[in-house]
mmCIF file of all heavy atoms in Angstrom:
data_model
loop_
_atom_site.group_PDB
_atom_site.id
_atom_site.type_symbol
_atom_site.label_atom_id
_atom_site.label_comp_id
_atom_site.label_asym_id
_atom_site.label_seq_id
_atom_site.Cartn_x
_atom_site.Cartn_y
_atom_site.Cartn_z
ATOM 1 N N ASP A 22 -153.069 116.607 -118.671
ATOM 2 C CA ASP A 22 -154.156 115.620 -118.748
ATOM 3 C C ASP A 22 -154.337 115.001 -120.133
ATOM 4 O O ASP A 22 -154.584 113.804 -120.258
ATOM 5 C CB ASP A 22 -155.468 116.257 -118.284
ATOM 6 C CG ASP A 22 -155.446 116.556 -116.782
ATOM 7 O OD1 ASP A 22 -154.650 115.909 -116.077
ATOM 8 O OD2 ASP A 22 -156.193 117.446 -116.331
ATOM 9 N N VAL A 23 -154.214 115.819 -121.173
ATOM 10 C CA VAL A 23 -154.406 115.287 -122.535
ATOM 11 C C VAL A 23 -153.302 114.292 -122.880
ATOM 12 O O VAL A 23 -153.565 113.199 -123.401
ATOM 13 C CB VAL A 23 -154.446 116.435 -123.575
ATOM 14 C CG1 VAL A 23 -154.629 115.868 -124.968
ATOM 15 C CG2 VAL A 23 -155.560 117.417 -123.249
ATOM 16 N N THR A 24 -152.058 114.650 -122.562
ATOM 17 C CA THR A 24 -150.933 113.749 -122.832
ATOM 18 C C THR A 24 -151.052 112.460 -122.020
ATOM 19 O O THR A 24 -150.790 111.360 -122.527
ATOM 20 C CB THR A 24 -149.594 114.448 -122.507
ATOM 21 O OG1 THR A 24 -149.509 115.656 -123.259
ATOM 22 C CG2 THR A 24 -148.404 113.570 -122.860
ATOM 23 N N VAL A 25 -151.462 112.588 -120.769
ATOM 24 C CA VAL A 25 -151.632 111.411 -119.902
ATOM 25 C C VAL A 25 -152.619 110.431 -120.530
ATOM 26 O O VAL A 25 -152.336 109.226 -120.644
ATOM 27 C CB VAL A 25 -152.125 111.838 -118.494
ATOM 28 C CG1 VAL A 25 -152.581 110.623 -117.687
ATOM 29 C CG2 VAL A 25 -151.020 112.557 -117.742
ATOM 30 N N GLU A 26 -153.770 110.930 -120.961
ATOM 31 C CA GLU A 26 -154.817 110.046 -121.476
ATOM 32 C C GLU A 26 -154.489 109.478 -122.857
ATOM 33 O O GLU A 26 -154.768 108.311 -123.138
ATOM 34 C CB GLU A 26 -156.166 110.785 -121.522
ATOM 35 C CG GLU A 26 -156.820 110.931 -120.165
ATOM 36 C CD GLU A 26 -156.972 109.599 -119.440
ATOM 37 O OE1 GLU A 26 -157.475 108.634 -120.044
ATOM 38 O OE2 GLU A 26 -156.569 109.519 -118.259
ATOM 39 N N GLU A 27 -153.900 110.311 -123.719
ATOM 40 C CA GLU A 27 -153.699 109.883 -125.103
ATOM 41 C C GLU A 27 -152.373 109.157 -125.337
ATOM 42 O O GLU A 27 -152.278 108.338 -126.257
ATOM 43 C CB GLU A 27 -153.804 111.098 -126.039
ATOM 44 C CG GLU A 27 -155.203 111.687 -126.063
ATOM 45 C CD GLU A 27 -155.400 112.656 -127.218
ATOM 46 O OE1 GLU A 27 -154.644 112.576 -128.213
ATOM 47 O OE2 GLU A 27 -156.317 113.487 -127.126
ATOM 48 N N ILE A 28 -151.347 109.459 -124.524
ATOM 49 C CA ILE A 28 -150.030 108.857 -124.762
ATOM 50 C C ILE A 28 -149.527 108.049 -123.568
ATOM 51 O O ILE A 28 -149.209 106.867 -123.695
ATOM 52 C CB ILE A 28 -148.986 109.942 -125.127
ATOM 53 C CG1 ILE A 28 -149.327 110.590 -126.467
ATOM 54 C CG2 ILE A 28 -147.575 109.338 -125.188
ATOM 55 C CD1 ILE A 28 -148.388 111.724 -126.880
ATOM 56 N N THR A 29 -149.498 108.687 -122.387
ATOM 57 C CA THR A 29 -148.786 108.086 -121.257
ATOM 58 C C THR A 29 -149.438 106.798 -120.760
ATOM 59 O O THR A 29 -148.782 105.756 -120.682
ATOM 60 C CB THR A 29 -148.665 109.091 -120.099
ATOM 61 O OG1 THR A 29 -148.097 110.299 -120.598
ATOM 62 C CG2 THR A 29 -147.778 108.538 -119.003
ATOM 63 N N HIS A 30 -150.729 106.858 -120.425
ATOM 64 C CA HIS A 30 -151.384 105.655 -119.902
ATOM 65 C C HIS A 30 -151.376 104.504 -120.914
ATOM 66 O O HIS A 30 -151.021 103.381 -120.543
ATOM 67 C CB HIS A 30 -152.811 105.974 -119.450
ATOM 68 C CG HIS A 30 -152.869 106.605 -118.087
ATOM 69 N ND1 HIS A 30 -154.052 106.963 -117.468
ATOM 70 C CD2 HIS A 30 -151.889 106.951 -117.220
ATOM 71 C CE1 HIS A 30 -153.803 107.493 -116.279
ATOM 72 N NE2 HIS A 30 -152.486 107.514 -116.110
ATOM 73 N N PRO A 31 -151.740 104.739 -122.182
ATOM 74 C CA PRO A 31 -151.709 103.622 -123.138
ATOM 75 C C PRO A 31 -150.313 103.002 -123.301
ATOM 76 O O PRO A 31 -150.172 101.783 -123.374
ATOM 77 C CB PRO A 31 -152.186 104.254 -124.448
ATOM 78 C CG PRO A 31 -152.982 105.453 -124.033
ATOM 79 C CD PRO A 31 -152.331 105.954 -122.780
ATOM 80 N N ARG A 32 -149.272 103.850 -123.357
ATOM 81 C CA ARG A 32 -147.918 103.315 -123.568
ATOM 82 C C ARG A 32 -147.380 102.646 -122.303
ATOM 83 O O ARG A 32 -146.824 101.547 -122.367
ATOM 84 C CB ARG A 32 -146.962 104.429 -124.023
ATOM 85 C CG ARG A 32 -147.144 104.837 -125.477
ATOM 86 C CD ARG A 32 -146.098 105.852 -125.918
ATOM 87 N NE ARG A 32 -144.763 105.275 -126.027
ATOM 88 C CZ ARG A 32 -144.292 104.640 -127.103
ATOM 89 N NH1 ARG A 32 -145.050 104.509 -128.178
ATOM 90 N NH2 ARG A 32 -143.072 104.167 -127.130
ATOM 91 N N TYR A 33 -147.510 103.328 -121.174
ATOM 92 C CA TYR A 33 -146.924 102.798 -119.936
ATOM 93 C C TYR A 33 -147.526 101.440 -119.578
ATOM 94 O O TYR A 33 -146.817 100.530 -119.144
ATOM 95 C CB TYR A 33 -147.141 103.790 -118.785
ATOM 96 C CG TYR A 33 -146.386 103.424 -117.533
ATOM 97 C CD1 TYR A 33 -145.031 103.737 -117.407
ATOM 98 C CD2 TYR A 33 -146.999 102.751 -116.487
ATOM 99 C CE1 TYR A 33 -144.319 103.390 -116.268
ATOM 100 C CE2 TYR A 33 -146.303 102.401 -115.347
ATOM 101 C CZ TYR A 33 -144.958 102.727 -115.236
ATOM 102 O OH TYR A 33 -144.252 102.375 -114.108
ATOM 103 N N GLY A 34 -148.838 101.308 -119.757
ATOM 104 C CA GLY A 34 -149.492 100.061 -119.377
ATOM 105 C C GLY A 34 -149.568 99.022 -120.486
ATOM 106 O O GLY A 34 -150.104 97.929 -120.285
ATOM 107 N N SER A 35 -149.011 99.338 -121.657
ATOM 108 C CA SER A 35 -149.221 98.494 -122.846
ATOM 109 C C SER A 35 -148.815 97.021 -122.701
ATOM 110 O O SER A 35 -149.469 96.165 -123.284
ATOM 111 C CB SER A 35 -148.512 99.106 -124.061
ATOM 112 O OG SER A 35 -147.114 99.132 -123.867
ATOM 113 N N PRO A 36 -147.763 96.667 -121.946
ATOM 114 C CA PRO A 36 -147.414 95.241 -121.897
ATOM 115 C C PRO A 36 -148.328 94.411 -121.002
ATOM 116 O O PRO A 36 -148.230 93.186 -120.989
ATOM 117 C CB PRO A 36 -145.985 95.239 -121.307
ATOM 118 C CG PRO A 36 -145.512 96.650 -121.352
ATOM 119 C CD PRO A 36 -146.742 97.495 -121.271
ATOM 120 N N TYR A 37 -149.214 95.074 -120.251
ATOM 121 C CA TYR A 37 -149.955 94.364 -119.211
ATOM 122 C C TYR A 37 -151.445 94.282 -119.540
ATOM 123 O O TYR A 37 -151.998 95.178 -120.177
ATOM 124 C CB TYR A 37 -149.764 95.082 -117.864
ATOM 125 C CG TYR A 37 -148.309 95.289 -117.536
ATOM 126 C CD1 TYR A 37 -147.721 96.547 -117.686
ATOM 127 C CD2 TYR A 37 -147.511 94.223 -117.128
ATOM 128 C CE1 TYR A 37 -146.374 96.732 -117.409
ATOM 129 C CE2 TYR A 37 -146.167 94.403 -116.851
ATOM 130 C CZ TYR A 37 -145.596 95.654 -116.996
ATOM 131 O OH TYR A 37 -144.263 95.834 -116.743
ATOM 132 N N PRO A 38 -152.117 93.227 -119.067
ATOM 133 C CA PRO A 38 -153.560 93.101 -119.315
ATOM 134 C C PRO A 38 -154.358 94.052 -118.428
ATOM 135 O O PRO A 38 -153.869 94.524 -117.400
ATOM 136 C CB PRO A 38 -153.846 91.637 -118.938
ATOM 137 C CG PRO A 38 -152.793 91.307 -117.915
ATOM 138 C CD PRO A 38 -151.577 92.079 -118.320
ATOM 139 N N TRP A 39 -155.617 94.310 -118.835
ATOM 140 C CA TRP A 39 -156.519 95.082 -117.988
ATOM 141 C C TRP A 39 -156.963 94.208 -116.820
ATOM 142 O O TRP A 39 -157.175 93.006 -117.012
ATOM 143 C CB TRP A 39 -157.732 95.505 -118.834
ATOM 144 C CG TRP A 39 -158.615 96.482 -118.126
ATOM 145 C CD1 TRP A 39 -158.525 97.842 -118.136
ATOM 146 C CD2 TRP A 39 -159.731 96.165 -117.288
ATOM 147 N NE1 TRP A 39 -159.497 98.387 -117.356
ATOM 148 C CE2 TRP A 39 -160.257 97.381 -116.808
ATOM 149 C CE3 TRP A 39 -160.325 94.965 -116.855
ATOM 150 C CZ2 TRP A 39 -161.345 97.447 -115.940
ATOM 151 C CZ3 TRP A 39 -161.402 95.029 -116.001
ATOM 152 C CH2 TRP A 39 -161.907 96.253 -115.552
ATOM 153 N N PRO A 40 -157.070 94.707 -115.567
ATOM 154 C CA PRO A 40 -156.925 96.100 -115.154
ATOM 155 C C PRO A 40 -155.516 96.466 -114.679
ATOM 156 O O PRO A 40 -155.293 97.579 -114.237
ATOM 157 C CB PRO A 40 -157.924 96.194 -114.000
ATOM 158 C CG PRO A 40 -157.840 94.844 -113.346
ATOM 159 C CD PRO A 40 -157.609 93.866 -114.463
ATOM 160 N N LEU A 41 -154.575 95.514 -114.749
ATOM 161 C CA LEU A 41 -153.224 95.787 -114.240
ATOM 162 C C LEU A 41 -152.601 96.979 -114.961
ATOM 163 O O LEU A 41 -151.911 97.796 -114.349
ATOM 164 C CB LEU A 41 -152.342 94.547 -114.401
ATOM 165 C CG LEU A 41 -150.917 94.647 -113.851
ATOM 166 C CD1 LEU A 41 -150.916 94.928 -112.353
ATOM 167 C CD2 LEU A 41 -150.120 93.377 -114.161
ATOM 168 N N ASN A 42 -152.858 97.096 -116.290
ATOM 169 C CA ASN A 42 -152.271 98.215 -117.051
ATOM 170 C C ASN A 42 -152.690 99.562 -116.460
ATOM 171 O O ASN A 42 -151.872 100.477 -116.334
ATOM 172 C CB ASN A 42 -152.650 98.114 -118.533
ATOM 173 C CG ASN A 42 -154.151 98.109 -118.780
ATOM 174 O OD1 ASN A 42 -154.951 97.951 -117.862
ATOM 175 N ND2 ASN A 42 -154.537 98.279 -120.032
ATOM 176 N N ARG A 43 -153.957 99.688 -116.063
ATOM 177 C CA ARG A 43 -154.431 100.951 -115.493
ATOM 178 C C ARG A 43 -153.905 101.150 -114.074
ATOM 179 O O ARG A 43 -153.525 102.242 -113.686
ATOM 180 C CB ARG A 43 -155.967 100.989 -115.488
ATOM 181 C CG ARG A 43 -156.591 100.924 -116.856
ATOM 182 C CD ARG A 43 -156.169 102.066 -117.760
ATOM 183 N NE ARG A 43 -156.937 103.287 -117.557
ATOM 184 C CZ ARG A 43 -156.787 104.378 -118.304
ATOM 185 N NH1 ARG A 43 -155.907 104.388 -119.297
ATOM 186 N NH2 ARG A 43 -157.500 105.453 -118.061
ATOM 187 N N ILE A 44 -153.883 100.089 -113.305
ATOM 188 C CA ILE A 44 -153.415 100.188 -111.912
ATOM 189 C C ILE A 44 -151.965 100.660 -111.871
ATOM 190 O O ILE A 44 -151.612 101.580 -111.128
ATOM 191 C CB ILE A 44 -153.576 98.830 -111.189
ATOM 192 C CG1 ILE A 44 -155.065 98.512 -110.990
ATOM 193 C CG2 ILE A 44 -152.843 98.836 -109.846
ATOM 194 C CD1 ILE A 44 -155.344 97.081 -110.574
ATOM 195 N N LEU A 45 -151.111 100.048 -112.692
ATOM 196 C CA LEU A 45 -149.688 100.422 -112.712
ATOM 197 C C LEU A 45 -149.506 101.860 -113.189
ATOM 198 O O LEU A 45 -148.676 102.602 -112.652
ATOM 199 C CB LEU A 45 -148.898 99.463 -113.608
ATOM 200 C CG LEU A 45 -148.750 98.034 -113.084
ATOM 201 C CD1 LEU A 45 -148.070 97.157 -114.120
ATOM 202 C CD2 LEU A 45 -147.976 98.002 -111.771
ATOM 203 N N SER A 46 -150.297 102.269 -114.191
ATOM 204 C CA SER A 46 -150.214 103.640 -114.702
ATOM 205 C C SER A 46 -150.622 104.653 -113.642
ATOM 206 O O SER A 46 -149.956 105.674 -113.449
ATOM 207 C CB SER A 46 -151.099 103.814 -115.941
ATOM 208 O OG SER A 46 -150.608 103.052 -117.009
ATOM 209 N N TYR A 47 -151.712 104.347 -112.930
ATOM 210 C CA TYR A 47 -152.169 105.287 -111.898
ATOM 211 C C TYR A 47 -151.197 105.344 -110.724
ATOM 212 O O TYR A 47 -150.995 106.403 -110.130
ATOM 213 C CB TYR A 47 -153.579 104.921 -111.426
ATOM 214 C CG TYR A 47 -154.653 105.384 -112.386
ATOM 215 C CD1 TYR A 47 -155.498 104.479 -113.007
ATOM 216 C CD2 TYR A 47 -154.801 106.743 -112.691
ATOM 217 C CE1 TYR A 47 -156.479 104.910 -113.901
ATOM 218 C CE2 TYR A 47 -155.776 107.187 -113.585
ATOM 219 C CZ TYR A 47 -156.608 106.256 -114.186
ATOM 220 O OH TYR A 47 -157.554 106.693 -115.073
ATOM 221 N N GLN A 48 -150.589 104.211 -110.396
ATOM 222 C CA GLN A 48 -149.569 104.202 -109.341
ATOM 223 C C GLN A 48 -148.400 105.102 -109.706
ATOM 224 O O GLN A 48 -147.931 105.907 -108.892
ATOM 225 C CB GLN A 48 -149.043 102.764 -109.130
ATOM 226 C CG GLN A 48 -149.896 101.934 -108.203
ATOM 227 C CD GLN A 48 -149.280 100.548 -107.990
ATOM 228 O OE1 GLN A 48 -148.389 100.126 -108.723
ATOM 229 N NE2 GLN A 48 -149.778 99.845 -106.990
ATOM 230 N N LYS A 49 -147.941 104.961 -110.931
ATOM 231 C CA LYS A 49 -146.812 105.770 -111.401
ATOM 232 C C LYS A 49 -147.199 107.248 -111.446
ATOM 233 O O LYS A 49 -146.408 108.122 -111.058
ATOM 234 C CB LYS A 49 -146.376 105.284 -112.798
ATOM 235 C CG LYS A 49 -145.148 106.004 -113.337
ATOM 236 C CD LYS A 49 -143.895 105.593 -112.588
ATOM 237 C CE LYS A 49 -142.649 106.184 -113.231
ATOM 238 N NZ LYS A 49 -141.420 105.744 -112.571
ATOM 239 N N GLN A 50 -148.398 107.528 -111.921
ATOM 240 C CA GLN A 50 -148.856 108.919 -111.993
ATOM 241 C C GLN A 50 -148.905 109.539 -110.597
ATOM 242 O O GLN A 50 -148.468 110.679 -110.395
ATOM 243 C CB GLN A 50 -150.243 108.971 -112.643
ATOM 244 C CG GLN A 50 -150.743 110.393 -112.867
ATOM 245 C CD GLN A 50 -152.034 110.421 -113.664
ATOM 246 O OE1 GLN A 50 -152.535 109.393 -114.092
ATOM 247 N NE2 GLN A 50 -152.576 111.598 -113.870
ATOM 248 N N TRP A 51 -149.405 108.806 -109.627
ATOM 249 C CA TRP A 51 -149.475 109.305 -108.254
ATOM 250 C C TRP A 51 -148.067 109.589 -107.724
ATOM 251 O O TRP A 51 -147.821 110.621 -107.103
ATOM 252 C CB TRP A 51 -150.183 108.265 -107.385
ATOM 253 C CG TRP A 51 -150.306 108.697 -105.957
ATOM 254 C CD1 TRP A 51 -151.222 109.560 -105.423
ATOM 255 C CD2 TRP A 51 -149.475 108.282 -104.869
ATOM 256 N NE1 TRP A 51 -151.003 109.705 -104.078
ATOM 257 C CE2 TRP A 51 -149.950 108.944 -103.699
ATOM 258 C CE3 TRP A 51 -148.378 107.415 -104.773
ATOM 259 C CZ2 TRP A 51 -149.349 108.760 -102.449
ATOM 260 C CZ3 TRP A 51 -147.783 107.233 -103.524
ATOM 261 C CH2 TRP A 51 -148.272 107.908 -102.380
ATOM 262 N N GLU A 52 -147.141 108.675 -108.005
ATOM 263 C CA GLU A 52 -145.748 108.823 -107.544
ATOM 264 C C GLU A 52 -145.090 110.078 -108.144
ATOM 265 O O GLU A 52 -144.460 110.871 -107.437
ATOM 266 C CB GLU A 52 -144.980 107.555 -107.959
ATOM 267 C CG GLU A 52 -143.528 107.517 -107.630
ATOM 268 C CD GLU A 52 -142.848 106.345 -108.350
ATOM 269 O OE1 GLU A 52 -143.396 105.217 -108.329
ATOM 270 O OE2 GLU A 52 -141.786 106.564 -108.946
ATOM 271 N N VAL A 53 -145.267 110.270 -109.461
ATOM 272 C CA VAL A 53 -144.651 111.434 -110.122
ATOM 273 C C VAL A 53 -145.317 112.726 -109.653
ATOM 274 O O VAL A 53 -144.629 113.722 -109.380
ATOM 275 C CB VAL A 53 -144.723 111.308 -111.662
ATOM 276 C CG1 VAL A 53 -144.236 112.585 -112.333
ATOM 277 C CG2 VAL A 53 -143.900 110.113 -112.142
ATOM 278 N N ARG A 54 -146.637 112.724 -109.529
ATOM 279 C CA ARG A 54 -147.334 113.944 -109.091
ATOM 280 C C ARG A 54 -146.969 114.310 -107.653
ATOM 281 O O ARG A 54 -146.894 115.487 -107.305
ATOM 282 C CB ARG A 54 -148.845 113.785 -109.253
ATOM 283 C CG ARG A 54 -149.259 113.810 -110.727
ATOM 284 C CD ARG A 54 -150.761 113.925 -110.911
ATOM 285 N NE ARG A 54 -151.080 114.074 -112.335
ATOM 286 C CZ ARG A 54 -152.287 114.369 -112.791
ATOM 287 N NH1 ARG A 54 -153.293 114.548 -111.965
ATOM 288 N NH2 ARG A 54 -152.494 114.489 -114.090
ATOM 289 N N ARG A 55 -146.720 113.325 -106.828
ATOM 290 C CA ARG A 55 -146.265 113.592 -105.450
ATOM 291 C C ARG A 55 -144.890 114.256 -105.474
ATOM 292 O O ARG A 55 -144.626 115.200 -104.727
ATOM 293 C CB ARG A 55 -146.214 112.278 -104.664
ATOM 294 C CG ARG A 55 -146.013 112.473 -103.163
ATOM 295 C CD ARG A 55 -146.044 111.147 -102.446
ATOM 296 N NE ARG A 55 -144.997 110.252 -102.939
ATOM 297 C CZ ARG A 55 -144.641 109.131 -102.311
ATOM 298 N NH1 ARG A 55 -145.249 108.752 -101.201
ATOM 299 N NH2 ARG A 55 -143.689 108.370 -102.803
ATOM 300 N N LYS A 56 -144.031 113.775 -106.373
ATOM 301 C CA LYS A 56 -142.702 114.385 -106.520
ATOM 302 C C LYS A 56 -142.832 115.830 -107.019
ATOM 303 O O LYS A 56 -142.139 116.730 -106.540
ATOM 304 C CB LYS A 56 -141.864 113.564 -107.507
ATOM 305 C CG LYS A 56 -140.475 114.150 -107.738
ATOM 306 C CD LYS A 56 -139.727 113.472 -108.874
ATOM 307 C CE LYS A 56 -138.444 114.222 -109.166
ATOM 308 N NZ LYS A 56 -137.708 113.693 -110.312
ATOM 309 N N MET A 57 -143.713 116.057 -107.993
ATOM 310 C CA MET A 57 -143.917 117.404 -108.535
ATOM 311 C C MET A 57 -144.395 118.368 -107.432
ATOM 312 O O MET A 57 -143.976 119.518 -107.376
ATOM 313 C CB MET A 57 -144.940 117.387 -109.678
ATOM 314 C CG MET A 57 -144.465 116.688 -110.930
ATOM 315 S SD MET A 57 -143.090 117.544 -111.719
ATOM 316 C CE MET A 57 -142.393 116.200 -112.690
ATOM 317 N N LYS A 58 -145.254 117.861 -106.558
ATOM 318 C CA LYS A 58 -145.742 118.682 -105.448
ATOM 319 C C LYS A 58 -144.578 119.035 -104.524
ATOM 320 O O LYS A 58 -144.445 120.177 -104.071
ATOM 321 C CB LYS A 58 -146.816 117.895 -104.691
ATOM 322 C CG LYS A 58 -147.727 118.761 -103.856
ATOM 323 C CD LYS A 58 -148.910 117.952 -103.358
ATOM 324 C CE LYS A 58 -149.811 118.846 -102.530
ATOM 325 N NZ LYS A 58 -150.959 118.115 -101.986
ATOM 326 N N ALA A 59 -143.712 118.056 -104.257
ATOM 327 C CA ALA A 59 -142.598 118.258 -103.332
ATOM 328 C C ALA A 59 -141.601 119.297 -103.844
ATOM 329 O O ALA A 59 -141.003 120.036 -103.059
ATOM 330 C CB ALA A 59 -141.886 116.922 -103.078
ATOM 331 N N ILE A 60 -141.428 119.372 -105.164
ATOM 332 C CA ILE A 60 -140.435 120.318 -105.717
ATOM 333 C C ILE A 60 -141.077 121.614 -106.214
ATOM 334 O O ILE A 60 -140.406 122.455 -106.808
ATOM 335 C CB ILE A 60 -139.601 119.666 -106.847
ATOM 336 C CG1 ILE A 60 -140.482 119.261 -108.037
ATOM 337 C CG2 ILE A 60 -138.808 118.483 -106.316
ATOM 338 C CD1 ILE A 60 -139.700 118.758 -109.246
ATOM 339 N N GLY A 61 -142.389 121.744 -105.981
ATOM 340 C CA GLY A 61 -143.056 123.000 -106.318
ATOM 341 C C GLY A 61 -143.489 123.137 -107.767
ATOM 342 O O GLY A 61 -143.756 124.247 -108.238
ATOM 343 N N TRP A 62 -143.587 122.016 -108.472
ATOM 344 C CA TRP A 62 -144.001 122.062 -109.881
ATOM 345 C C TRP A 62 -145.476 121.717 -110.075
ATOM 346 O O TRP A 62 -146.011 121.915 -111.167
ATOM 347 C CB TRP A 62 -143.154 121.104 -110.723
ATOM 348 C CG TRP A 62 -141.823 121.653 -111.136
ATOM 349 C CD1 TRP A 62 -140.861 122.166 -110.310
ATOM 350 C CD2 TRP A 62 -141.304 121.748 -112.461
ATOM 351 N NE1 TRP A 62 -139.768 122.563 -111.038
ATOM 352 C CE2 TRP A 62 -140.010 122.315 -112.371
ATOM 353 C CE3 TRP A 62 -141.800 121.403 -113.725
ATOM 354 C CZ2 TRP A 62 -139.214 122.558 -113.488
ATOM 355 C CZ3 TRP A 62 -140.999 121.622 -114.842
ATOM 356 C CH2 TRP A 62 -139.719 122.204 -114.721
ATOM 357 N N ALA A 63 -146.125 121.208 -109.045
ATOM 358 C CA ALA A 63 -147.505 120.724 -109.230
ATOM 359 C C ALA A 63 -148.453 121.836 -109.656
ATOM 360 O O ALA A 63 -149.389 121.610 -110.419
ATOM 361 C CB ALA A 63 -147.994 120.070 -107.938
ATOM 362 N N GLY A 64 -148.199 123.050 -109.179
ATOM 363 C CA GLY A 64 -149.094 124.153 -109.495
ATOM 364 C C GLY A 64 -148.753 124.896 -110.771
ATOM 365 O O GLY A 64 -149.429 125.869 -111.130
ATOM 366 N N LYS A 65 -147.712 124.448 -111.472
ATOM 367 C CA LYS A 65 -147.300 125.145 -112.697
ATOM 368 C C LYS A 65 -148.260 124.856 -113.842
ATOM 369 O O LYS A 65 -148.836 123.769 -113.933
ATOM 370 C CB LYS A 65 -145.887 124.720 -113.122
ATOM 371 C CG LYS A 65 -144.795 125.259 -112.213
ATOM 372 C CD LYS A 65 -143.435 125.089 -112.867
ATOM 373 C CE LYS A 65 -142.338 125.678 -111.978
ATOM 374 N NZ LYS A 65 -141.058 125.765 -112.678
ATOM 375 N N THR A 66 -148.396 125.829 -114.726
ATOM 376 C CA THR A 66 -149.148 125.598 -115.958
ATOM 377 C C THR A 66 -148.182 125.046 -117.010
ATOM 378 O O THR A 66 -146.953 125.146 -116.859
ATOM 379 C CB THR A 66 -149.753 126.901 -116.491
ATOM 380 O OG1 THR A 66 -148.664 127.796 -116.838
ATOM 381 C CG2 THR A 66 -150.640 127.554 -115.455
ATOM 382 N N LEU A 67 -148.739 124.497 -118.075
ATOM 383 C CA LEU A 67 -147.905 123.989 -119.167
ATOM 384 C C LEU A 67 -147.064 125.120 -119.757
ATOM 385 O O LEU A 67 -145.886 124.919 -120.103
ATOM 386 C CB LEU A 67 -148.786 123.353 -120.243
ATOM 387 C CG LEU A 67 -148.054 122.758 -121.454
ATOM 388 C CD1 LEU A 67 -147.038 121.695 -121.034
ATOM 389 C CD2 LEU A 67 -149.048 122.181 -122.450
ATOM 390 N N GLU A 68 -147.651 126.317 -119.847
ATOM 391 C CA GLU A 68 -146.911 127.470 -120.392
ATOM 392 C C GLU A 68 -145.695 127.792 -119.530
ATOM 393 O O GLU A 68 -144.618 128.102 -120.045
ATOM 394 C CB GLU A 68 -147.828 128.703 -120.476
ATOM 395 C CG GLU A 68 -148.874 128.643 -121.580
ATOM 396 C CD GLU A 68 -149.948 127.593 -121.324
ATOM 397 O OE1 GLU A 68 -150.246 127.301 -120.132
ATOM 398 O OE2 GLU A 68 -150.474 127.031 -122.314
ATOM 399 N N GLN A 69 -145.831 127.712 -118.205
ATOM 400 C CA GLN A 69 -144.706 127.981 -117.309
ATOM 401 C C GLN A 69 -143.620 126.923 -117.452
ATOM 402 O O GLN A 69 -142.430 127.234 -117.426
ATOM 403 C CB GLN A 69 -145.197 128.042 -115.854
ATOM 404 C CG GLN A 69 -146.014 129.282 -115.532
ATOM 405 C CD GLN A 69 -146.663 129.204 -114.162
ATOM 406 O OE1 GLN A 69 -147.180 128.164 -113.755
ATOM 407 N NE2 GLN A 69 -146.629 130.319 -113.436
#
C-alpha cells in the first residue's frame, strides 16, 4: 500500500490528466491484484 500510494500511482498515471490518471492506475492495480490472487500471492506478506 505505501509503495502504491507514494510511487506507483503517481508514476503510472503521470502522463495523463486527472481523473484519467487515477482511473488508469486503479484499472492496472485491479488487473495485477487479480493475477496475484490467481497465482496464490495475494495473501502473502511483504516479508514472505
Side-chain angles (χ1 to χ4, degrees):
D22 291 338
V23 179
T24 304
V25 168
E26 284 306 310
E27 294 194 22
I28 294 177
T29 307
H30 279 181
R32 284 185 70 85
Y33 189 81
S35 64
Y37 307 104
W39 189 89
L41 183 60
N42 58 347
R43 298 300 277 184
I44 291 167
L45 291 174
S46 293
Y47 281 119
Q48 276 183 345
K49 184 71 173 183
Q50 185 173 357
W51 180 80
E52 178 192 314
V53 173
R54 288 191 175 189
R55 191 177 59 167
K56 179 189 172 184
M57 291 294 159
K58 200 169 180 182
I60 63 173
W62 278 55
K65 288 194 178 191
T66 64
L67 181 57
E68 287 69 29
Q69 288 171 319

